[in-house]
Amino acid sequence: MHRGRYIWRRTLFALVTVFVAVTINFLLFRVLPGSAANRLSRVPGASAEMKAALERQFGIDKSLWEQYGLYLKGLATGNLGISFSNRQPVAANLAEAFLNTLPLVLTGTIIALVIGILLGILSAVRRGTFFDHAMTNISVLFYAFPTQFVGAMLLIFFAGVLPSAGMADPFAMALSPGEQFADRLRHLILPVATLALTLYAEYLLIMRSSVLETLGEDYVLTARAKGLPRGRIIRSYSVRNAMLPTVTMIALALGTVVSGAILIEVIYSWPGIGRELYQAVLQRDYPMLQGGFLVITITVVVFNYLADLAYAWLDPRVSD
């Protein structure tokens, strides 16, 4: 019964969060000065009639309540609108950008998780040693650096060695499929390295703290008293129980996959969702912004919701 009420509360909270986010996303970009019609009508000889025609075409000549009602109606039918900038369906634009973002963010997140978890375990097992101090200080240093700073430094040092813009060589179409794949991998190196370096520290620090906490528990001391091998104690008793907060972190990290790494995509001109949203802000492309943030919001809320459920399953005390 306790778990059922907990799931119901988390479900209701997730639905309310999505509705509030949809409303805020709709209003946020409309309260700013200027409009897409103003930007598009800035051509020599543009008349007031041309601006009015653009406003009618985009539907921004109506009141906010009318626009909001049409927006909710479109969402109910799966229609995210038409982009102001390229006149293409927002859903199609986001789908293409998502396919470009996916390999970048997934690869970087997986590398950060593997490195962070392994180094966190080793740092905890070797607590107080030079290795522990070095790993902890280096991770804190990278965690403190802004993403754009890490990306800029990698660009400075490796721009002449590795591809630093786009996701493929513009002349790669003349290459064989194997060479095209290798070219894509080369373009991934710097963005993925930037993402992994800025993410791994939090996993290392959390895993280290969790392992240290479990190493002092009574069941670990009992296992030592029984004479069990040290490796088995760490693997089966300490690390397994220390994974609880890390599992939650993994679920929350997966929620950011759709949003992409906006700064990284802008720095490396990577044509993903983050760069699409950046361009949409510059062009006041309301449908793209609304669609992009809606997808991001739903994804983050869903993975937060799954993390809550996973936490309640791993630790029943949470739902009491």
Side-chain angles (χ1 to χ4, degrees):
M1 293 296 294
H2 291 296
R3 182 169 295 181
R5 287 199 300 268
Y6 175 80
I7 294 175
W8 167 248
R9 288 199 305 268
R10 302 313 301 174
T11 302
L12 181 61
F13 179 77
L15 293 175
V16 171
T17 302
V18 170
F19 177 77
V20 172
V22 166
T23 303
I24 292 176
N25 286 337
F26 172 82
L27 294 174
L28 181 61
F29 304 102
R30 284 172 168 77
V31 300
L32 299 176
S35 69
N38 289 334
R39 186 187 64 81
L40 293 175
S41 62
R42 289 175 183 171
V43 295
S47 61
E49 290 77 11
M50 178 181 178
K51 179 181 177 181
L54 288 171
E55 290 178 345
R56 286 194 299 272
Q57 178 183 353
F58 296 144
I60 55 179
D61 59 328
K62 300 178 174 62
S63 67
L64 279 178
W65 283 111
E66 291 178 296
Q67 294 181 51
Y68 184 59
L70 292 173
Y71 177 58
L72 293 180
K73 182 179 179 181
L75 291 181
T77 59
N79 179 15
L80 298 181
I82 303 297
S83 170
F84 289 171
S85 58
N86 63 7
R87 309 299 197 275
Q88 298 297 315
V90 170
N93 290 339
L94 291 177
E96 181 180 357
F98 172 72
L99 293 178
N100 295 334
T101 290
L102 196 60
L104 165 62
V105 180
L106 271 182
T107 306
T109 303
I110 291 173
I111 292 175
L113 281 170
V114 172
I115 294 176
I117 290 174
L118 291 179
L119 292 181
I121 295 172
L122 292 175
S123 295
V125 172
R126 303 180 181 181
R127 180 183 183 182
T129 64
F130 173 78
F131 178 86
D132 177 33
H133 292 306
M135 290 300 100
T136 303
N137 291 330
I138 291 174
S139 64
V140 170
L141 185 66
F142 276 111
Y143 187 71
F145 282 148
T147 302
Q148 61 268 31
F149 176 81
V150 176
M153 291 299 99
L154 291 180
L155 273 178
I156 292 173
F157 288 110
F158 298 104
V161 180
L162 295 169
S164 57
M167 60 181 294
D169 191 309
F171 302 102
M173 295 302 294
L175 303 176
S176 66
E179 290 173 328
Q180 291 182 32
F181 180 73
D183 178 65
R184 291 289 181 93
L185 290 180
R186 282 171 51 81
H187 280 79
L188 267 174
I189 293 175
L190 288 182
V192 165
T194 304
L195 183 61
L197 288 173
T198 54
L199 284 181
Y200 91 95
E202 56 183 317
Y203 303 125
L204 185 153
L205 296 174
I206 289 176
M207 195 65 192
R208 178 183 180 275
S209 176
S210 299
V211 172
L212 286 176
E213 183 178 350
T214 57
L215 285 175
E217 296 290 345
D218 293 339
Y219 55 83
V220 174
L221 297 178
T222 302
R224 288 176 177 170
K226 290 181 178 180
L228 295 179
R230 186 167 181 263
R232 182 182 174 186
I233 293 174
I234 294 173
R235 181 178 63 255
S236 302
Y237 291 85
S238 180
V239 172
R240 179 174 297 180
N241 290 281
M243 285 297 295
L244 182 61
T246 307
V247 167
T248 306
M249 286 286 298
I250 293 172
L252 298 180
L254 290 175
T256 64
V257 169
V258 174
S259 64
I262 295 179
L263 289 174
I264 294 176
E265 291 183 356
V266 171
I267 290 172
Y268 294 104
S269 300
W270 191 270
I273 285 184
R275 190 163 180 265
E276 284 290 329
L277 293 180
Y278 172 76
Q279 294 294 333
V281 171
L282 297 180
Q283 298 169 359
R284 297 190 182 279
D285 194 340
Y286 299 146
M288 276 296 296
L289 289 169
Q290 290 170 169
F293 279 102
L294 176 65
V295 172
I296 292 171
T297 300
I298 292 177
T299 304
V300 172
V301 169
V302 166
F303 278 104
N304 273 271
Y305 175 70
L306 294 177
D308 289 336
L309 298 186
Y311 215 103
W313 178 70
L314 292 170
D315 188 354
R317 295 173 297 177
V318 174
S319 56
D320 288 341

